[in-house]
């Protein structure tokens, strides 16, 4: 089909622009390698293959936004198949007589036949679906102006983003896809019009060809040439831009997913890479201080803002957007690409150019942004590393967080209480509680700060002790030897204090004789289970809901009263649910208690954070706007109110001491007292076991401090 001059021109175009693209990709590889070392990736070939399969089936994209994800799948499947389509089109351009229409009735016919028909059918359908999907996304971005694609006031944005760079990039790429796929589809339509016959295996092109039946043979021939060059030549011309476009995620996303961090979700990367020089500062101040996977994240980013949509800080109107952080990184890479691609170090401070200090301290470390990301990005890890460097550099931080850290450093707890008062709650528990440092026990109960000191939670801690004792569980505590487990200490960036706490708790463990650890605090559960093993504490660690369920199923606890008079919903704590997949035991306990139960829309993996994690509970002053916990109470009422029926009481059930504090306060501050009551799951179970009088409506979680 192509003339000799056209063939030479195309080959020259491929050599020149393909060479520029190769240089660009080489620069990206150099740039990513300039990041700090990261924990080694294991079983990479298998993980890459698994990632390719997941991406090929579009599994990650369907974590959220099912309708938009369907349109994205149209584009993805169509554009992916177009690799084969483009190869076929190259053959048609360079091999005289080669054509796939009508079952490859041309020179290739004897070899293809039915395969060509199947190919044509798939290409025809996917061409239309790709165009439909692309139109939907362009209308969404430029017509509907979806608010999910915008940012809160105060979010730090690169000047290029502020100037509309993302919208411009979307317009360029969207136009390219429309022209590329549309031209190819039109070219096939003109081929059918040229013969005047429909092809049953190209239904959409056959239908469209009717509109061109009146054109002359020369006009059709010219149209076929023009559409071929528009479709295939446009790809070659677009390749160098592709390196700088957000749509490079098409190639980087499977790689990023295949190289995702090994190990449990609740295990942070070390503050300083293993084997690093002794003088290397922890965390990250400059862009290239981040680990190389965090640099790769920026190229994998789709700029879809899904992470922002589930971020509790952003939802509360605060100036944190995990999406903006990744987008800013990409724009900084593009701005400094020439020097970074040469392997040079560049002065690119994260706090000045990628994220603001206020945004850094807004993160609850709830992991929602990581969980929802379809390409495996971890913006939360960037934020923790930035905090680490800020703490190391003694940067100014919130007074409440500073006070909590000082209290933990001095007394081992963030309440500022002297260590010898940690186990005072046990004196009024009503049951004997063993000292695990003096006599052997089956379970070591790691109580945690909030459950030990907060007078709104202490009565619940005592209830747990009574229920465990009633079931005959052999348990004990560390008494005054226990220190804060360090989960939130590490996530606010105080790595040195975290390591000191680990050392102190490990020393206490060494004094005790036990086989397993139990805790009511998901934050303690996370760090004891996932981070302490690095320091030698390899014990089974259980949340109390799992132990209680085991006791019920073994018959050591018996439900004597079904609580059908209550209508309840349950909140999944981030560090029990998303981090440690503790979804079933709490729900099973409520089921066994005989409660009427309804799930909130955001549940399990998609649960909404209470706003306490990452040191947020320590803040000296409450940020403006609706707090995450208040939003959650509103969601609970919207879920339960329409189905109240004859329920005596609406319950918001929790299984975390911090949740008790956050949601009890939120019921008050949101003006919903008397409408819904916060209950820890131990209160529900105690009543179902007949170990207490029915709650006569005073909220036991509201004991004055």
């Amino acid at each position: 089909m192509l003339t000799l001059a056209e063939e030479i021109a195309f080959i020259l175009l491929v050599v020149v622009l393909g060479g520029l693209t190769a240089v660009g990709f080489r620069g990206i590889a150099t740039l990513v390698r300039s990041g700090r070392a990261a924990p080694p990736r294991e079983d990479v070939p298998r993980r890459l293959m698994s990632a390719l399969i997941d991406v090929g089936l579009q599994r990650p994209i369907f974590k959220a936004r099912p309708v938009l994800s369907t349109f994205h799948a149209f584009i993805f499947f169509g554009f992916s198949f177009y690799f084969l389509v483009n190869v076929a089109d190259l053959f048609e351009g360079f091999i005289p007589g080669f054509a796939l229409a009508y079952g490859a009735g041309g020179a290739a016919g004897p070899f293809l036949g039915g395969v060509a028909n199947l190919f044509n059918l798939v290409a025809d359908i996917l061409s239309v679906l790709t165009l439909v999907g692309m139109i939907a996304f362009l209308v969404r971005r430029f017509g509907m102006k979806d608010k999910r694609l915008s940012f809160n006031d105060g979010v730090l944005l690169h000047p290029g983003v502020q100037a509309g760079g993302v919208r411009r990039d979307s317009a360029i790429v969207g136009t390219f896809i429309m022209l590329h796929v549309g031209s190819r589809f039109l070219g096939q339509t003109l081929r059918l019009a040229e013969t005047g016959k429909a092809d049953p295996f190209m239904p959409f092109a056959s239908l469209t060809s009717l509109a061109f039946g009146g054109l002359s043979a020369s006009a059709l021939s010219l149209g076929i040439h023009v559409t071929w060059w528009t479709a295939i030549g446009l790809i070659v011309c677009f390749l160098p831009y592709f390196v700088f476009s957000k749509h490079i995620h098409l190639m980087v996303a499977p790689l990023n997913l295949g190289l995702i961090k090994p190990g449990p979700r609740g295990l942070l990367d070390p503050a300083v890479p293993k084997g690093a020089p002794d003088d290397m500062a922890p965390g990250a101040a400059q862009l290239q201080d981040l680990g190389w996977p965090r640099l790769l994240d920026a190229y994998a980013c789709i700029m879809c803002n899904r992470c922002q949509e589930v971020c509790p800080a952003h939802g509360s109107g605060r100036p944190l957007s995990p999406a903006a952080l990744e987008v800013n990184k990409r724009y900084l890479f593009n701005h400094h690409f020439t020097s970074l691609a040469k392997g040079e170090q560049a002065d690119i401070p994260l706090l000045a150019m990628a994220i603001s200090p206020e945004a850094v301290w807004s993160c609850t470390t709830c992991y929602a942004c990581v969980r929802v990301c379809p390409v495996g990005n971890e913006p939360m890890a960037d934020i923790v590393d930035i905090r680490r460097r800020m703490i190391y550099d003694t940067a100014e931080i919130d007074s409440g967080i500073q006070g909590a850290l000082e209290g933990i450093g001095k007394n081992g707890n963030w309440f500022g209480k002297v260590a010898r008062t940690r186990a005072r709650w046990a004196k009024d528990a009503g049951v004997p509680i063993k000292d695990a440092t003096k006599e052997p026990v089956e379970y070591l109960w790691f109580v945690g700060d909030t459950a030990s000191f907060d007078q709104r939670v202490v009565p619940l801690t005592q209830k747990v002790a009574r229920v465990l004792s009633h079931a005959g569980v052999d348990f004990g505590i560390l008494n005054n030897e226990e220190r804060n487990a360090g989960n939130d200490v590490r996530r606010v960036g105080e790595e040195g204090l975290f390591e000191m706490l680990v050392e102190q708790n490990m020393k206490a463990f060494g004094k005790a004789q036990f086989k397993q650890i139990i805790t009511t605090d998901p934050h303690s559960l996370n760090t004891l289970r996932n981070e302490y093993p690095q320091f030698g504490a390899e014990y089974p660690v259980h949340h109390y809901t799992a132990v209680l369920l085991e006791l019920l199923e073994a018959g050591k606890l018996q439900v004597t009263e079904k609580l059908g008079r209550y209508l309840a919903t349950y909140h999944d704590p981030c560090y029990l649910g998303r981090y440690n997949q503790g979804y079933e035991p709490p729900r099973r306990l409520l089921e066994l208690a005989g409660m009427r139960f309804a799930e909130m829309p955001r549940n399990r993996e998609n649960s909404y954070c209470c706003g306490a994690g990452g040191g947020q509970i320590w803040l000296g002053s409450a940020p403006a706007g609706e707090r995450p916990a208040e939003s959650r109470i509103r969601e609970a009422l919207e879920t339960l109110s329409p189905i109240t029926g004859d329920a005596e009481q609406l319950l918001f059930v929790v299984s975390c001491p911090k949740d008790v504090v956050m949601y009890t306060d939120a019921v008050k501050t949101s003006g919903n007292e008397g409408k819904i009551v916060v209950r820890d799951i131990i209160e529900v179970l105690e009543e179902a076991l007949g170990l207490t009088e029915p709650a006569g409506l005073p909220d036991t979680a509201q004991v004055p401090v």
Side-chain angles (χ1 to χ4, degrees):
M1 183 189 80
L2 296 180
T3 65
L4 179 60
E6 286 178 308
E7 290 177 356
I8 294 172
F10 183 81
I11 291 171
L12 288 174
L13 199 65
V14 169
V15 170
V16 174
L17 297 183
L20 288 175
T21 305
V23 170
F25 275 108
R26 182 179 178 182
I28 290 175
T30 301
L31 187 155
V32 171
R33 287 199 302 268
S34 72
R36 287 189 175 184
R41 272 42 182 168
E42 300 173 353
D43 198 13
V44 171
R46 183 193 64 80
R47 292 163 68 94
L48 284 173
M49 182 58 64
S50 176
L52 283 171
I53 293 172
D54 283 345
V55 171
L57 296 175
Q58 289 290 273
R59 288 172 182 164
I61 204 75
F62 278 95
K63 291 178 180 178
R65 303 178 183 173
V67 174
L68 288 174
S69 296
T70 300
F71 285 122
H72 184 276
F74 289 168
I75 299 170
F76 175 83
F77 292 137
F79 217 64
S80 298
F81 191 75
Y82 256 61
F83 283 112
L84 294 177
V85 171
N86 296 152
V87 171
D89 289 348
L90 283 173
F91 287 165
E92 287 191 350
F94 281 83
I95 301 176
F98 184 95
L100 293 181
Y102 310 109
F111 304 101
L112 296 175
V115 175
N117 284 331
L118 178 61
F119 177 90
N120 288 335
L121 180 63
V122 173
D124 192 61
I125 293 173
L126 287 180
S127 294
V128 173
L129 290 180
T130 301
L131 293 172
V132 168
M134 199 66 249
I135 291 171
F137 274 100
L138 290 172
V139 169
R140 176 197 177 217
R141 183 173 285 275
F142 298 102
M144 298 172 60
K145 296 183 179 178
D146 193 330
K147 291 183 179 179
R148 290 174 293 184
L149 298 175
S150 60
F151 303 97
N152 285 344
D153 292 339
V155 172
L156 178 65
L157 296 174
H158 185 278
V161 180
Q162 288 182 320
V166 176
R167 285 172 57 84
R168 183 168 57 251
D169 189 26
S170 297
I172 292 171
V173 174
T175 302
F176 159 71
I177 292 175
M178 293 291 292
L179 285 174
H180 172 58
V181 176
S183 294
R184 199 275 171 180
F185 177 77
L186 181 59
Q188 295 302 101
T189 296
L190 295 175
R191 284 181 171 83
L192 298 182
E194 193 176 34
T195 64
K197 296 190 303 179
D199 185 336
F201 292 96
M202 301 170 68
F204 292 107
S206 295
L207 182 63
T208 309
S209 70
L210 298 176
F212 301 97
L215 293 179
S216 65
S218 59
L220 290 170
S221 178
L222 176 62
I224 291 170
H225 266 74
V226 170
T227 55
W228 188 95
W229 272 101
T230 305
I232 302 301
L234 194 61
I235 292 178
V236 182
C237 294
F238 183 77
L239 284 176
Y241 177 77
F242 183 71
V243 174
F244 299 96
S245 161
K246 72 175 186 175
H247 284 74
I248 196 174
H249 75 261
L250 287 169
M251 298 183 67
V252 179
L255 181 63
N256 205 47
L257 287 167
L259 296 174
I260 204 164
K261 183 182 75 173
R265 289 178 171 182
L267 174 62
L268 290 176
D269 285 351
V272 176
K274 189 176 181 180
D278 293 338
D279 61 348
M280 178 177 282
Q286 299 285 325
L287 186 59
Q288 288 167 291
D289 289 338
L290 295 171
W292 65 261
R294 304 289 74 79
L295 302 187
L296 189 64
D297 281 352
Y299 282 101
C301 181
I302 304 176
M303 303 185 186
C304 62
N305 286 17
R306 291 174 185 235
C307 54
Q308 171 182 289
E309 187 178 359
V310 299
C311 174
H314 194 273
S316 299
R318 302 185 72 182
L320 169 61
S321 167
L325 173 58
E326 297 297 346
V327 173
N328 287 340
K329 285 161 59 180
R330 173 82 71 81
Y331 273 74
L332 288 169
F333 288 154
N334 288 348
H335 183 75
H336 297 272
F337 189 81
T338 302
S339 60
L340 293 173
K342 296 176 182 177
E344 300 174 359
Q345 291 291 313
D347 182 20
I348 312 175
L350 288 162
L351 280 177
M353 298 184 175
I355 190 170
S356 68
E358 186 180 352
V360 168
W361 294 109
S362 299
C363 178
T364 67
T365 67
C366 69
Y367 203 83
C369 60
V370 183
R371 197 284 306 180
V372 80
C373 181
V375 296
N377 285 354
E378 295 188 72
M380 189 197 80
D382 291 11
I383 292 172
V384 170
D385 268 340
I386 294 169
R387 288 177 172 183
R388 284 165 162 168
R389 182 61 67 84
M390 292 179 75
I391 293 289
Y392 178 80
D393 290 340
T394 63
E396 183 178 352
I397 63 174
D398 177 84
S399 60
I401 293 177
Q402 184 65 46
L405 294 176
E406 289 174 357
I408 293 170
K410 181 179 179 181
N411 297 308
N413 67 83
W414 63 273
F415 286 85
K417 304 291 186 179
V418 294
R420 66 176 180 273
T421 64
R422 177 175 282 276
R424 185 173 290 174
W425 65 268
K427 296 179 180 179
D428 299 321
V431 293
I433 298 175
K434 293 181 178 179
D435 184 341
T437 65
K438 296 179 180 178
E439 54 184 317
V441 295
E442 173 69 23
Y443 287 98
L444 171 64
W445 181 4
F446 196 97
V447 185
D449 288 3
T450 307
S452 296
F453 293 107
D454 195 310
Q455 293 305 305
R456 294 166 291 187
V457 182
V458 163
L460 307 177
T461 307
Q462 294 166 336
K463 289 176 184 292
V464 173
R466 290 194 289 270
V467 171
L468 292 177
S469 180
H470 178 76
V473 176
D474 181 22
F475 72 95
I477 62 177
L478 292 172
N479 277 309
N480 303 335
E481 298 285 340
E482 182 183 302
R483 297 291 183 270
N484 184 289
N487 185 79
D488 298 293
V489 169
R490 193 176 202 199
R491 281 151 184 79
V492 298
E494 236 302 3
E495 196 73 15
L497 179 55
F498 168 72
E499 292 178 1
M500 184 184 81
L501 292 169
V502 173
E503 182 179 347
Q504 292 172 341
N505 282 318
M506 287 290 292
K507 185 177 179 180
F509 292 163
K511 294 179 181 179
Q513 298 180 58
F514 63 94
K515 296 179 181 178
Q516 305 178 70
I517 296 176
I518 181 176
T519 181
T520 56
D521 177 23
H523 297 248
S524 297
L525 170 84
N526 181 71
T527 197
L528 291 172
R529 177 184 286 177
N530 299 317
E531 296 182 316
Y532 273 53
Q534 297 175 94
F535 303 91
E538 297 185 358
Y539 306 102
V541 184
H542 311 282
H543 190 250
Y544 76 112
T545 54
V547 174
L548 292 173
L549 178 59
E550 187 177 308
L551 293 171
L552 274 166
E553 292 179 338
K556 295 180 180 180
L557 291 174
Q558 298 285 338
V559 172
T560 61
E561 181 183 0
K562 296 291 186 178
L563 306 181
R565 61 183 175 276
Y566 298 128
L567 174 61
T569 192
Y570 172 72
H571 166 75
D572 289 285
C574 302
Y575 279 94
L576 176 61
R578 240 186 324 270
Y579 275 101
N580 288 284
Q581 290 72 56
Y583 301 118
E584 296 308 323
R587 288 172 171 79
R588 180 64 177 146
L589 287 173
L590 295 179
E591 180 184 349
L592 292 173
M595 283 190 149
R596 292 170 55 198
F597 179 77
E599 291 277 16
M600 289 180 280
R602 294 178 290 188
N603 61 77
R604 298 177 184 262
E605 280 278 273
N606 195 38
S607 181
Y608 198 61
C609 179
C610 74
Q616 297 300 294
I617 198 171
W618 300 335
L619 288 177
S621 59
E626 183 182 58
R627 293 183 294 166
E630 293 170 339
S631 171
R632 194 69 161 147
I633 292 296
R634 177 167 49 81
E635 181 180 358
L637 284 169
E638 290 172 354
T639 300
L640 299 178
S641 295
I643 56 173
T644 300
D646 59 354
E648 291 182 8
Q649 196 172 66
L650 302 183
L651 299 186
F652 187 94
V653 182
V654 299
S655 57
C656 169
K658 290 185 175 70
D659 283 343
V660 172
V661 174
M662 298 297 289
Y663 288 117
T664 301
D665 286 347
V667 168
K668 297 176 183 178
T669 57
S670 62
N672 287 304
E673 287 183 283
K675 298 178 183 178
I676 192 168
V677 176
V678 177
R679 294 277 181 222
D680 188 275
I681 207 163
I682 193 63
E683 297 177 275
V684 173
L685 187 59
E686 186 184 45
E687 186 174 340
L689 295 173
L691 300 179
T692 185
E693 292 298 318
L697 301 197
D699 190 349
T700 58
Q702 297 183 29
V703 175
V705 179

PDB file of all heavy atoms in Angstrom, residues 156 177 233 314 396 426 434 467 600 641:
ATOM      1  N   LEU A 156      -0.349  21.741  48.437  1.00  0.00           N
ATOM      2  CA  LEU A 156       0.801  22.218  47.678  1.00  0.00           C
ATOM      3  C   LEU A 156       0.833  21.540  46.310  1.00  0.00           C
ATOM      4  O   LEU A 156       0.819  20.309  46.223  1.00  0.00           O
ATOM      5  CB  LEU A 156       2.099  21.914  48.435  1.00  0.00           C
ATOM      6  CG  LEU A 156       3.408  22.324  47.738  1.00  0.00           C
ATOM      7  CD1 LEU A 156       3.468  23.846  47.605  1.00  0.00           C
ATOM      8  CD2 LEU A 156       4.613  21.809  48.517  1.00  0.00           C
ATOM      9  N   ILE A 177      -5.416   9.171  21.540  1.00  0.00           N
ATOM     10  CA  ILE A 177      -6.128   7.887  21.502  1.00  0.00           C
ATOM     11  C   ILE A 177      -7.321   7.972  20.556  1.00  0.00           C
ATOM     12  O   ILE A 177      -7.578   7.046  19.763  1.00  0.00           O
ATOM     13  CB  ILE A 177      -6.568   7.479  22.917  1.00  0.00           C
ATOM     14  CG1 ILE A 177      -5.339   7.151  23.775  1.00  0.00           C
ATOM     15  CG2 ILE A 177      -7.502   6.271  22.869  1.00  0.00           C
ATOM     16  CD1 ILE A 177      -5.658   6.842  25.223  1.00  0.00           C
ATOM     17  N   GLY A 233       1.504   6.474  12.002  1.00  0.00           N
ATOM     18  CA  GLY A 233       2.513   7.526  12.130  1.00  0.00           C
ATOM     19  C   GLY A 233       2.366   8.300  13.430  1.00  0.00           C
ATOM     20  O   GLY A 233       3.353   8.732  14.036  1.00  0.00           O
ATOM     21  N   HIS A 314      -7.824  14.445  53.761  1.00  0.00           N
ATOM     22  CA  HIS A 314      -8.370  15.229  52.654  1.00  0.00           C
ATOM     23  C   HIS A 314      -9.879  15.356  52.781  1.00  0.00           C
ATOM     24  O   HIS A 314     -10.456  16.416  52.510  1.00  0.00           O
ATOM     25  CB  HIS A 314      -8.006  14.589  51.314  1.00  0.00           C
ATOM     26  CG  HIS A 314      -8.229  15.488  50.138  1.00  0.00           C
ATOM     27  ND1 HIS A 314      -9.435  15.574  49.492  1.00  0.00           N
ATOM     28  CD2 HIS A 314      -7.401  16.357  49.493  1.00  0.00           C
ATOM     29  CE1 HIS A 314      -9.347  16.444  48.499  1.00  0.00           C
ATOM     30  NE2 HIS A 314      -8.128  16.938  48.479  1.00  0.00           N
ATOM     31  N   GLU A 396      10.254  22.057  63.772  1.00  0.00           N
ATOM     32  CA  GLU A 396       9.123  22.384  64.636  1.00  0.00           C
ATOM     33  C   GLU A 396       7.942  21.475  64.308  1.00  0.00           C
ATOM     34  O   GLU A 396       7.564  21.317  63.147  1.00  0.00           O
ATOM     35  CB  GLU A 396       8.726  23.847  64.441  1.00  0.00           C
ATOM     36  CG  GLU A 396       7.592  24.295  65.359  1.00  0.00           C
ATOM     37  CD  GLU A 396       7.248  25.765  65.194  1.00  0.00           C
ATOM     38  OE1 GLU A 396       7.996  26.459  64.470  1.00  0.00           O
ATOM     39  OE2 GLU A 396       6.249  26.202  65.765  1.00  0.00           O
ATOM     40  N   ALA A 426      -5.844  -2.635  87.367  1.00  0.00           N
ATOM     41  CA  ALA A 426      -6.053  -4.047  87.696  1.00  0.00           C
ATOM     42  C   ALA A 426      -6.565  -4.245  89.121  1.00  0.00           C
ATOM     43  O   ALA A 426      -7.205  -5.262  89.421  1.00  0.00           O
ATOM     44  CB  ALA A 426      -4.755  -4.824  87.493  1.00  0.00           C
ATOM     45  N   LYS A 434      -2.576 -12.048  87.048  1.00  0.00           N
ATOM     46  CA  LYS A 434      -1.210 -12.487  87.310  1.00  0.00           C
ATOM     47  C   LYS A 434      -0.187 -11.473  86.818  1.00  0.00           C
ATOM     48  O   LYS A 434      -0.423 -10.739  85.853  1.00  0.00           O
ATOM     49  CB  LYS A 434      -0.941 -13.832  86.629  1.00  0.00           C
ATOM     50  CG  LYS A 434      -1.729 -15.004  87.197  1.00  0.00           C
ATOM     51  CD  LYS A 434      -1.359 -16.293  86.467  1.00  0.00           C
ATOM     52  CE  LYS A 434      -2.105 -17.486  87.043  1.00  0.00           C
ATOM     53  NZ  LYS A 434      -1.764 -18.754  86.332  1.00  0.00           N
ATOM     54  N   VAL A 467     -14.023 -11.120  81.693  1.00  0.00           N
ATOM     55  CA  VAL A 467     -14.488 -12.123  80.734  1.00  0.00           C
ATOM     56  C   VAL A 467     -13.416 -13.189  80.507  1.00  0.00           C
ATOM     57  O   VAL A 467     -13.714 -14.390  80.467  1.00  0.00           O
ATOM     58  CB  VAL A 467     -14.889 -11.458  79.404  1.00  0.00           C
ATOM     59  CG1 VAL A 467     -15.161 -12.518  78.334  1.00  0.00           C
ATOM     60  CG2 VAL A 467     -16.118 -10.582  79.597  1.00  0.00           C
ATOM     61  N   MET A 600     -22.015  -0.494  57.301  1.00  0.00           N
ATOM     62  CA  MET A 600     -21.892   0.817  56.685  1.00  0.00           C
ATOM     63  C   MET A 600     -21.322   0.637  55.275  1.00  0.00           C
ATOM     64  O   MET A 600     -20.640  -0.363  55.004  1.00  0.00           O
ATOM     65  CB  MET A 600     -20.976   1.709  57.520  1.00  0.00           C
ATOM     66  CG  MET A 600     -21.583   2.159  58.828  1.00  0.00           C
ATOM     67  SD  MET A 600     -20.481   3.228  59.803  1.00  0.00           S
ATOM     68  CE  MET A 600     -19.406   2.001  60.553  1.00  0.00           C
ATOM     69  N   SER A 641     -30.589   4.428  60.557  1.00  0.00           N
ATOM     70  CA  SER A 641     -31.866   5.120  60.784  1.00  0.00           C
ATOM     71  C   SER A 641     -33.008   4.617  59.908  1.00  0.00           C
ATOM     72  O   SER A 641     -34.135   4.447  60.393  1.00  0.00           O
ATOM     73  CB  SER A 641     -31.683   6.633  60.596  1.00  0.00           C
ATOM     74  OG  SER A 641     -30.815   7.147  61.580  1.00  0.00           O
TER      75      SER A 641
END
